Amino acid sequence: MVIRTLLAEDMNLVRGALVALLAYEEDIEVVAEVARGDRILAAARACRPDVAVIDIALPGKDGLAAAGELHAKLPECGVLILTGVGTPGLLKRALDVHVRGFMAKDAPPDRLADGIRRVAEGERVIDSELAIAAMRPPEAPLTPRELDVIGAAADGASIGEIAASLYLSEGTVRNYLSKTTAKLGARGRIDAIRIARESGWI
């Protein structure tokens, strides 16, 4: 039996490399490729994959939200999430949306192929290194002041409100938010808030 696989990855080079690597596996066929999370469900409905391999960080809709939607609409399709970090929040969210696989993006190709096979068989596959990392929350790379600012932003406060509550200028608040985003390798403020929350820092 050939395992029909959908691949969701926004970086073209990475996606191309994964497709090329999986092409060596006789029992795995990539039947669809998408670069955005909000295109996963439509692609899956069109090609009916057995397994969807989804990067956790996607434009349009994050990988876990897309995985939850896929499970609700096409529960017969198993989902294997690829991520660069393992945190308690991410792992819990993955399990909450019925993800069957949770693997590191830099896993060896044979481990990824094996993970796809096991997910197709209905097994749960969680990368041991990510599981260990999830049990040990990482230390925040942010200063206490940066945590104060991102925490206030997470609560929905505006730049002006954050500035007033922390006795800072609006320009200083913007600088803190910019530094926080850069330190966390986030795509923007919303992504930085998500990372900080899932890491248990705010």
Side-chain angles (χ1 to χ4, degrees):
M1 184 189 79
V2 174
I3 302 168
R4 296 170 59 80
T5 304
L6 178 151
L7 183 60
E9 164 60 58
D10 63 325
M11 297 181 67
N12 293 333
L13 284 174
V14 175
R15 190 172 67 252
L18 289 172
V19 170
L21 289 168
L22 292 174
Y24 286 102
E25 306 296 330
E26 294 182 358
D27 60 339
I28 297 173
E29 179 187 2
V30 177
V31 294
E33 302 173 43
V34 297
R36 296 176 56 88
D38 52 6
R39 293 179 183 164
I40 291 174
L41 181 59
R45 279 176 163 158
C47 68
R48 297 286 167 166
D50 302 302
V51 176
V53 178
I54 302 175
D55 183 7
I56 201 164
L58 291 172
K61 181 174 290 185
D62 76 67
L64 291 178
E69 183 178 56
L70 196 55
H71 177 77
K73 305 294 185 181
L74 294 172
E76 66 274 17
C77 177
V79 175
L80 190 157
I81 289 288
L82 295 180
T83 180
V85 295
T87 67
L90 284 180
L91 186 53
K92 182 180 184 304
R93 275 187 66 203
L95 296 176
D96 286 346
V97 296
H98 307 282
V99 164
R100 290 188 207 158
F102 194 73
M103 296 186 66
K105 285 186 73 169
D106 59 356
D110 59 336
R111 192 185 301 174
L112 174 59
D114 181 61
I116 291 172
R117 293 184 186 103
R118 291 172 61 188
V119 166
E121 292 171 2
E123 294 182 39
R124 177 163 282 164
V125 182
I126 298 177
D127 190 298
S128 59
E129 292 179 10
L130 289 176
I132 291 169
M135 291 186 288
R136 186 180 60 246
E139 290 186 15
L142 308 176
T143 66
R145 203 54 159 165
E146 287 167 345
L147 287 170
D148 288 341
V149 170
I150 196 70
D155 290 336
S158 67
I159 298 289
E161 289 169 339
I162 296 171
S165 66
L166 297 177
Y167 304 100
L168 300 170
S169 71
E170 292 189 11
T172 299
V173 170
R174 289 192 181 91
N175 285 339
Y176 275 128
L177 290 171
S178 178
K179 286 180 182 177
T180 297
T181 299
K183 281 185 179 182
L184 298 182
R187 296 170 185 266
R189 188 186 309 173
I190 293 173
D191 193 34
I193 290 169
R194 176 188 61 77
I195 292 170
R197 273 184 170 153
E198 291 174 351
S199 300
W201 301 328
I202 58 173

